[in-house]
Every structure is written in structure tokens, then in C-alpha cells.
Amino acid sequence: VAEHEGSCDDNIRNREEAGLDCGGECPACLEPTCTDSVQNQDEEGIDCGGASCLPCSCLDGERGGDEEDVDCGGSLCPPCCQQDSVCSGPLGLDYRGC
């Protein structure tokens, strides 16, 4: 039985890939961002926490800490918007405010 050598679309970091299915013989890896749906950089969760991304508590769909409303306002989260409007917050993320 031949051992599986891996491929660029097997969801396994193998061969000489620099990341999951990227780099080496596979397509180049994208720079990690706070909107790539991958827990990378120094993120504490997927696309949240760490030095570059919003705190995870600002993306959890709950009003917590000193937030003025769900995931907005307070000392850590983006400011709340007018009701039913969408704002562009820190890091270029769109979010629905108060």
C-alpha cells in the first residue's frame, strides 16, 4: 500500500507547505488577517483577540463588559451606530451597532 503523499487541497499541512494547503509546491499563502475565518497570528479565537483584532467579546453576539449595546461601545469595542445603520469600524470591519 502506497503512503499518501498529500495534496494542496487535503486540509492537512504536509509536504513542504508553509501553511494549511498553501506555500511550497501549493499556491502562495495569504497574509493572515482579522477577517480570514482562520485562527492565526496571535488571535485568541477565529478572527478575534490578540494584538491586531477586536477582542472576542466584541464579536460574540452578546452585551457584556462595559459594552453600551451588543458588541459595541465601551472601552474595547467599536462605537455604536445609529439604530439600523451599518458602520465601518476598526480594522475595516462592518458591524451593526445599537
Side-chain angles (χ1 to χ4, degrees):
V1 177
E3 188 174 320
H4 179 65
E5 294 182 19
S7 69
C8 295
D9 60 358
D10 59 6
N11 283 331
I12 300 171
R13 185 175 176 181
N14 49 28
R15 303 172 6 149
E16 294 184 21
E17 295 172 351
L20 186 66
D21 294 336
C22 65
E25 296 176 20
C26 300
C29 297
L30 300 175
E31 290 293 319
T33 68
C34 296
T35 58
D36 58 10
S37 299
V38 177
Q39 183 175 350
N40 48 28
Q41 310 176 70
D42 64 345
E43 296 170 353
E44 297 164 8
I46 296 175
D47 295 336
C48 66
S52 301
C53 302
L54 289 173
C56 294
S57 62
C58 296
L59 302 170
D60 62 6
E62 298 179 9
R63 183 176 179 181
D66 66 350
E67 293 175 0
E68 296 167 16
D69 206 331
V70 175
D71 295 343
C72 68
S75 59
L76 299 175
C77 301
C80 296
C81 299
Q82 297 297 323
Q83 187 167 356
D84 296 326
S85 65
V86 175
C87 300
S88 182
L91 312 171
L93 301 174
D94 287 340
Y95 64 93
R96 186 165 298 282
C98 305

